[in-house]
C-alpha cells in the first residue's frame, strides 16, 4: 500500500471554497453535527487500485461533485445506547412508536432518485408501508401508503428555487449526513485519510474527522467518497471509545444513470386524500414576508421559548424552555394508575434525577448526546458530556 504525508492547512482550503459547505443544499441531519476540522499532518493512503489523495484534495473533490443523476437504495441504521427509550417507544405501538424505535435503535431503508436539485424523490420504506416525498420543479408532494393520504405544495418565488431541496428531519442520503458533518470544519477537528473502501460495489476514499474537544461525545465521523463521482457513499458516526458506529447512512446500491422523468411524476392513487392546504400556508408565509400579518400571529413579544445556540463546534449546545411545571406534572402523572400513569413511570425511568450547583433536574444520556431538563423548565441538549451541560446550566 502506497502512502505519503504532507502538511495541509485544511481550514484555508475549506474557507477558500464555500461550495464545500453545501454538498446538498438545504440538507439537515438527525444528528446535528456542529464543530470543526483542524489543520495539521494529513496522512493520505489508498489501495493500489486508487491513486493517493490527500484530505485537502478530497475536500476539493467533494466541492466539484455534480452528478447529472443517480438512483439507489440507502440504509440508515442507529444504535444510540438508549435501550430504555427504545423499549418505551416500542410500547407506544403504531407507526409513531415503530418509527421512533428504528431511529434510535434500528434501521430505515429508502430508495432515492435524483435528476437535478429540483427533481428529487425519496421513498422511505417501513413495516407500516411507504412514505414518498417528491420534488418535481415547483411541485412538492408527500404521500403515505398506510392511510393513502398526502400533501401537495406548489412552491413559489424563492421556495421554488433549485437551491431548496427536500425538507427532512433525518438524513435521507449519505450526502445529507456528510453535509452536516462537513459543516464542522474548523481548528477543533483532526482531518485525515485512512485509505480505500468499497461501498455498494464502488471504490471509495475514506476521510475521517476526529473532534479534539474532550467535552464532545463524538469520536469520529468517517466518510467514504466515491473515487469517480466524488459524492459520499457512506457516512459513519462513532461515539468515543467505541468500534461500532452509532449512526450509519450508506448506499446499499447505486447507479449514476439519470432516472426517467416519470419517476418524479406523482399521480395520486384511487381514493387518495390529498391536502392542498400546504400551498395556502406557503402563500400566507409569502404574504407575511411582504409585511402582511398572519391572523394567528399572537405570540407575546419577548417569548422565551425560542431555541438558543450556545457555543460552537462539536460542543454546541441548544437551549430551550418548557413550562416550569412540566416535570412536576410528569411526576404527578407517574403516581397514578392506568395506561397514562404507566407511560409516565416508564419515561421517568429513563430520566434519572440529577442535581448540582445549577439546581435539580433529570438527565437523558446516549452514546452520542446528552439532554438535561431542569426543574425550572430549561432544556439543554448537545453532542456533549453531561458535565458540559451542567456548566451551561
Amino acid at each position: 500500500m502506497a502512502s505519503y504525508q504532507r502538511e495541509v492547512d485544511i481550514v484555508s482550503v475549506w474557507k477558500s471554497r464555500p461550495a464545500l459547505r453545501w454538498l446538498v443544499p438545504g440538507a439537515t441531519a438527525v444528528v446535528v453535527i456542529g464543530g470543526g476540522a483542524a489543520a495539521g499532518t494529513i496522512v493520505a493512503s489508498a489501495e493500489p487500485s486508487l491513486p493517493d489523495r490527500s484530505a485537502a484534495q478530497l475536500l476539493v473533490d467533494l466541492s466539484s461533485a455534480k452528478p447529472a443523476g443517480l438512483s439507489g437504495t440507502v440504509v440508515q441504521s442507529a444504535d444510540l445506547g438508549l435501550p430504555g427509550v427504545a423499549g418505551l417507544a416500542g410500547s407506544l405501538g403504531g407507526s409513531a412508536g415503530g418509527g421512533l424505535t428504528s431511529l434510535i435503535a434500528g434501521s430505515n431503508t429508502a430508495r432515492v432518485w435524483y435528476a437535478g436539485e429540483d427533481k428529487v424523490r425519496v421513498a422511505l420504506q417501513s413495516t407500516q408501508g411507504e412514505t414518498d416525498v417528491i420534488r418535481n420543479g415547483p411541485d412538492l408532494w408527500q404521500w403515505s401508503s398506510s392511510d393513502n393520504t398526502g400533501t401537495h405544495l406548489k412552491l413559489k418565488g424563492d421556495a421554488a428555487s433549485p437551491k431548496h431541496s427536500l425538507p427532512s428531519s433525518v438524513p435521507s442520503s449519505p450526502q445529507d449526513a456528510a453535509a452536516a458533518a462537513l459543516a464542522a470544519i474548523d481548528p477543533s477537528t483532526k482531518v485525515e485519510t485512512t485509505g480505500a473502501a468499497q461501498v455498494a460495489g464502488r471504490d471509495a476514499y475514506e476521510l475521517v474527522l476526529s473532534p479534539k474537544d474532550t467535552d464532545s461525545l463524538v469520536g469520529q465521523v468517517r466518510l467514504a467518497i466515491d473515487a469517480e463521482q466524488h459524492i459520499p457513499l457512506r457516512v459513519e458516526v462513532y461515539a468515543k471509545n467505541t468500534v461500532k458506529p452509532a449512526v450509519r447512512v450508506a448506499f446499499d446500491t447505486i447507479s449514476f444513470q439519470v432516472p426517467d422523468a416519470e419517476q418524479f411524476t406523482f399521480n395520486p392513487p384511487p381514493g387518495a386524500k390529498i391536502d392542498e392546504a400546504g400551498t395556502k400556508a406557503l402563500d400566507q408565509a409569502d404574504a407575511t414576508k411582504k409585511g402582511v400579518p398572519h391572523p394567528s400571529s399572537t405570540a407575546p413579544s419577548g417569548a422565551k421559548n425560542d431555541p438558543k445556540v450556545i457555543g460552537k463546534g462539536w460542543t454546541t449546545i441548544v437551549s430551550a424552555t418548557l413550562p416550569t411545571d412540566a416535570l412536576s406534572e410528569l411526576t404527578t402523572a407517574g403516581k397514578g394508575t392506568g395506561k397514562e400513569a404507566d407511560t409516565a413511570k416508564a419515561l421517568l425511568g429513563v430520566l434519572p434525577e440529577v442535581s448540582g450547583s445549577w439546581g435539580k433536574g433529570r438527565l437523558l444520556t446516549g452514546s452520542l448526546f446528552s439532554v438535561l431538563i431542569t426543574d425550572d423548565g430549561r432544556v439543554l441538549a448537545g453532542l456533549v458530556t453531561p458535565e458540559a451541560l451542567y456548566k451551561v446550566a
Side-chain angles (χ1 to χ4, degrees), residues 84-102:
V85 176
L88 176 60
S91 69
L92 296 176
S95 59
L100 179 58
T101 299
S102 64

Side-chain angles (χ1 to χ4, degrees), residues 357-373:
S357 58
W358 48 268
K360 296 181 179 181
R362 288 183 177 269
L363 181 70
L364 175 66
T365 56
S367 58
L368 276 179
F369 68 92
S370 302
V371 180
L372 175 66
I373 307 173

Side-chain angles (χ1 to χ4, degrees), residues 278-291:
T279 300
K280 296 179 181 179
L282 197 60
D283 289 341
Q284 181 59 60
D286 288 340
T288 301
K289 288 182 181 179
K290 296 175 182 178

Side-chain angles (χ1 to χ4, degrees), residues 122-146:
V122 178
L124 182 63
Q125 301 165 336
S126 70
T127 56
Q128 285 77 35
E130 179 174 299
T131 298
D132 281 55
V133 181
I134 303 170
R135 168 74 188 272
N136 190 4
D139 291 295
L140 183 61
W141 300 86
Q142 181 274 326
W143 174 76
S144 173
S145 67
S146 61

